[in-house]
Amino acid sequence: MPDLESMRHSTAHVMAAAVQRLFPGTRLGVGPAIENGFYYDLDVPRRLTPEDLAAIEAEMARLVAAAVPFEREELSLDDAIRLFEERGEPYKVELLRDLRERGTTRLGAKGEEEVDIDPRNASTASIYRTGDYVDLCLGPHVVDTSQIGPFKLTSIAGAYWRGDEHRPQLQRIYGTVWPTAEQLEQYLWRIEEAKRRDHRRLGRELRLFFFDEAAPGQPFMLPRGMTVLRVLEALSRQEQARRGYQEISTPSLVKSDLWEQSGHWGYYRENMFTSEVEDEQYAFKPMNCPESTVVYRSETRSYRDLPLRLAETTRLLRNERSGTLNGLLRVRQLTMDDAHIYCRPDQIQSEIAGVLEFGRVVYDLFGFPRRYYLSTRPDKALGDPALWEQAEAALAEALRASGIPYELKPGEGAFYGPKIDVDIDDALGRSWQLATIQLDFNLPERFQLEYIGEDGQPHRPVMIHRAIYGTYERLLGILVEHYAGAFPLWLAPVQAVVIPVADRHLPYAEDVAARLRAADLRVEVDARGERMQAKIRDAQLQKIPYMLVVGDKEAEAGAVAVRERSGENRGPLPLDDFLALARERLQKYE
Ligand SMILES: [Zn+2]
Ligand SMILES: [Zn+2]
């Protein structure tokens, strides 16, 4: 059995070969194996449509049935360049020339790292032949095409050559391949399910939010979406207050001087929206950190004041390029559950442990499994190496003492400090980065932050940036998909809808709603002139946890007939009993 990655990459070759057979003149970009499958970036003479995928699959199936061997050859770089020149493959030639001239095909920060060439062996190139097809490739590959498992081509997208928008746009064909038909089917189901759960679609259907051309990358929040956000905010505030955080709010439009001092003006300016006010340069804040230091500096701080935990939930603006915007997952207007903790170096470990515990409490409520990563000192780092060492040890010890297994990412910390990242898995097993806990030696230095130590001397505090949710926008998007729109009772924007059987039951329905609202439940009355069954169906489509049907019997008995969104019918309950039931579930965050 070939390993999955080489089978996936081999399938990419077979797909490219099939496209070249069907569309002569197709030139090869790069085609790596990726999570769950593979892609190939191809310069095809005409624009492909989803209808073309079936023909390409059929051609691939013929190649697979023919059991064509994968044959490896080693060539000198010059011979390889000649070969691909003859074959009319300018992209491969470009990669080979880069390799010959620079010893690497790696681009700057913007470009994708090419995966097809062995950087350890830069004097020769290996190629793979599969019948008439020739690819520049490191391998390994399966022995022959018959070892390729059940596959499916899934989509076509545009992709700039080497990730550069000034270079030609190629067509990227994505596909997936698995050892068994059952695994393929399961994977395809997960894709379909992800589409069904797409937060942009559900956001509209459930009347949570929508996007409009009037403001790209910025959601219009509807009352129900706002309600979910308010519940999340209330939870965050409650947990912060319990842990000694204090909330501040700092201005949105800030003079460029502050951004120059923080360094953002130098390295982050293209992501900032700027404005001129009375001949002075301002920028809309893309993050809260520099202003948090203004608050810190507003008073003389003593070692007794530390740790100082300043939380802030204000709106940020980031100039993300329109091509990168993606529903609530990448927006231009965002709201973080941000906090900055100022502490002494000897407090790092306990503060980190506190943040980890905070995260655990919150993620447990959503049922998110999570993975932790500790990123350490990069080659180019700012600050005293001894302080780095102490900080990294404190982070590792906080993780260990909290009983949290983690993966080490050596050298992947920011230049200004080590960090802990937390990824969560949603209900479909998809991974998202939510939280980050970031130590910072840089801003305290740049802003000359001080506290007066026990020795009466000024000392430099350490700054910890931390978010538990990340941004509210992104979290809402993730939660909508995680729950497929069926929020648990405590998060549901409407927890119960009261449905009168006939118009004459409307006064009682209003009475029920008023009593439940007085007990802080979020309740609506469906007073429309529709039939009861239609109202029940609509409430189910809106994924409202409880439907309370009221007719003559219920009005007389002071009761409600309780139906759940799952369709389960609990029958009539005295109103007080229903209230007690709901309260009990809410207390348990069900
Ligand atoms: Zn290859
Ligand atoms: Zn920050």
Side-chain angles (χ1 to χ4, degrees), residues 1 26 80 88 100 119 122 135 139 153 173 175 228 241 310 365 412 429 434 478 482-483 513 553:
M1 192 83 230
T26 294
R100 189 178 60 186
D135 205 339
L153 302 184
I173 308 177
V228 178
L310 298 178
L365 294 181
E412 289 195 29
L434 267 201
I478 292 170
H482 176 61
Y483 293 122
K553 271 191 298 187

Side-chain angles (χ1 to χ4, degrees), residues 287-290 336 338-340 440 443 463-466:
M287 43 191 78
N288 300 307
C289 335
M336 284 178 72
D338 205 3
H340 295 97
D440 188 348
L443 284 190
M463 190 173 177
I464 300 170
H465 310 252
R466 81 101 184 95

Side-chain angles (χ1 to χ4, degrees), residues 25-43:
T26 294
R27 294 153 167 186
L28 306 172
V30 292
I34 53 173
E35 194 185 2
N36 300 320
F38 58 90
Y39 69 77
Y40 216 118
D41 288 346
L42 299 165
D43 191 347

Side-chain angles (χ1 to χ4, degrees), residues 363-508:
Y363 302 145
D364 277 350
L365 294 181
F366 304 119
F368 288 148
R370 52 259 176 189
R371 276 182 307 278
Y372 291 79
Y373 301 94
L374 172 57
S375 300
T376 58
R377 190 170 191 268
D379 291 338
K380 277 188 188 164
L382 200 133
D384 179 4
L387 190 53
W388 270 88
E389 224 162 86
Q390 183 189 351
E392 287 173 5
L395 262 55
E397 181 53 26
L399 284 160
R400 200 198 57 76
S402 308
I404 294 173
Y406 63 93
E407 254 177 65
L408 202 60
K409 289 188 178 172
E412 289 195 29
F415 72 92
Y416 51 81
K419 61 174 180 167
I420 295 171
D421 291 325
V422 189
D423 287 5
I424 56 100
D425 291 338
D426 71 8
L428 285 187
R430 293 170 303 178
S431 178
W432 307 89
Q433 192 193 323
L434 267 201
T436 165
I437 309 168
Q438 173 84 62
L439 237 63
D440 188 348
F441 311 128
N442 179 42
L443 284 190
E445 197 64 41
R446 279 180 174 265
F447 287 103
Q448 302 286 301
L449 304 186
E450 289 179 347
Y451 65 90
I452 305 301
E454 237 172 320
D455 55 6
Q457 298 299 310
H459 296 268
R460 197 68 83 219
V462 176
M463 190 173 177
I464 300 170
H465 310 252
R466 81 101 184 95
I468 303 291
Y469 293 157
T471 75
Y472 279 93
E473 288 78 8
R474 186 175 153 82
L475 178 66
L476 179 60
I478 292 170
L479 289 176
V480 166
E481 300 198 3
H482 176 61
Y483 293 122
F487 290 106
L489 187 66
W490 70 276
L491 258 182
V494 180
Q495 294 168 320
V497 59
V498 188
I499 300 174
V501 173
D503 279 350
R504 66 175 184 282
H505 305 117
L506 200 50
Y508 178 64

Side-chain angles (χ1 to χ4, degrees), residues 170-188:
L170 310 184
Q171 302 190 60
R172 174 173 297 180
I173 308 177
Y174 285 99
T176 184
V177 59
W178 296 85
T180 69
E182 196 188 351
Q183 282 167 294
L184 174 66
E185 215 164 282
Q186 256 178 18
Y187 173 70
L188 294 175

